[in-house]
Amino acid sequence: SQTIHQWPATLVQPVGSPLSLECTVEGTSNPNLYWYRQAAGRGLQLLFYSVGIGQISSEVPQNLSASRPQDRQFILSSKKLLLSDSGFYLCAWSVGSNYGYTFGSGTRLTVV
Amino acid sequence: DQQVKQNSPSLSVQEGRISILNCDYTNSMFDYFLWYKKYPAEGPTFLISISSIKDKNEDGRFTVFLNKSAKHLSLHIVPSQPGDSAVYFCAASESLRGWGKLQFGAGTQVVVTP
């Protein structure tokens, strides 16, 4: 069966520190991978998506970057965190033209 | 530019009554719509979907209605139960893109009271 792992679950980081959030998918090949953010009191905002290894598309200009070093691994990074980067980060995957996403359990990031 | 809008941030409903959640979209190319349910500190889980070739899809207590001319869809939960208390997200996709890139609304917090 397919599963998605996302870690850590909670993270508190000082302003200006780096960030690395990892997401891995099991049980499927060549998934579409996504990073979403839910800021406090707001909906889900698509940050990045990837349709294959090394292929990253950014939806909004921001302080973050994403990489896909392996087929089932998606990493969200920042060199220097801002206060505005605080939020709930969600990784998700889908396959082909299947429009239903499976989401990870999320990472609560607080930048202090 | 918010292409999917959920204009009601919250909804309170009594247990056993109907919950009606609304969603509007602006992109006429959207042809597949989904509803997700989210509990605090968890990822959203898929609830129900509808293709633009239909105007209604039902799954147990959940029914989604689509009005393409009005660019409007709604989710009905009947009867509402305390476990339905969660945030509900509406999402939409364009199949011509060939893969599932979803645009989400801002969500509606549903509280089911005893």
Side-chain angles (χ1 to χ4, degrees), chain A residues 32 34 36 38 41-46 49 51 59 88 90 94 96-106 108, chain B residues 31-32 34 36 38 41-46 87 89 93-107:
Chain A
N32 302 320
Y34 313 87
Y36 277 85
Q38 184 185 17
R42 304 184 69 178
L44 297 173
Q45 181 186 36
L46 178 62
Y49 63 90
V51 298
E59 283 296 291
F88 191 58
L90 289 156
S94 67
S97 58
N98 181 350
Y99 305 106
Y101 285 11
T102 298
F103 282 91
S105 54
R108 170 70 61 192
Chain B
D31 57 2
Y32 197 79
L34 307 91
Y36 281 80
K38 183 183 181 299
E42 294 182 10
T45 55
F46 170 74
V87 176
F89 290 100
S93 180
E94 300 176 44
S95 62
L96 287 179
R97 285 182 173 267
W99 51 274
K101 178 182 169 185
L102 295 178
Q103 297 286 344
F104 284 85

Side-chain angles (χ1 to χ4, degrees), chain A residues 41-94:
Chain A
R42 304 184 69 178
L44 297 173
Q45 181 186 36
L46 178 62
L47 302 176
F48 300 96
Y49 63 90
S50 171
V51 298
I53 296 174
Q55 300 180 57
I56 308 295
S57 295
S58 174
E59 283 296 291
V60 293
Q62 58 203 309
N63 183 43
L64 302 168
S65 62
S67 61
R68 185 171 177 173
Q70 300 179 43
D71 181 45
R72 289 170 283 184
Q73 183 185 30
F74 206 22
I75 298 172
L76 183 69
S77 305
S78 174
K79 292 182 180 178
K80 289 185 177 181
L81 284 169
L82 306 172
L83 287 174
S84 58
D85 292 324
S86 294
F88 191 58
Y89 288 83
L90 289 156
C91 180
W93 70 271
S94 67

Side-chain angles (χ1 to χ4, degrees), chain B residues 53-65:
Chain B
I53 63 174
K54 294 185 174 183
D55 56 18
K56 177 183 175 181
N57 189 26
E58 191 172 354
D59 184 1
R61 297 186 296 114
F62 303 91
T63 303
V64 56
F65 296 92

Side-chain angles (χ1 to χ4, degrees), chain B residues 2-100:
Chain B
Q2 194 80 4
Q3 297 185 59
V4 179
K5 300 177 182 178
Q6 293 176 257
N7 293 319
S8 297
S10 63
L11 172 69
S12 182
V13 63
Q14 217 170 11
E15 182 178 0
R17 308 293 288 265
I18 183 172
S19 294
I20 300 177
L21 291 79
N22 293 302
C23 177
D24 297 292
Y25 60 95
T26 57
N27 187 344
S28 58
M29 300 301 293
F30 286 149
D31 57 2
Y32 197 79
F33 306 89
L34 307 91
W35 285 93
Y36 281 80
K37 177 179 179 180
K38 183 183 181 299
Y39 294 115
E42 294 182 10
T45 55
F46 170 74
L47 194 57
I48 192 169
S49 63
I50 187 167
S51 164
S52 60
I53 63 174
K54 294 185 174 183
D55 56 18
K56 177 183 175 181
N57 189 26
E58 191 172 354
D59 184 1
R61 297 186 296 114
F62 303 91
T63 303
V64 56
F65 296 92
L66 176 62
N67 182 334
K68 285 192 299 181
S69 60
K71 294 190 180 68
H72 176 84
L73 65 155
S74 61
L75 174 68
H76 293 206
I77 307 173
V78 183
S80 300
Q81 298 175 355
D84 295 331
S85 295
V87 176
Y88 290 79
F89 290 100
C90 170
S93 180
E94 300 176 44
S95 62
L96 287 179
R97 285 182 173 267
W99 51 274

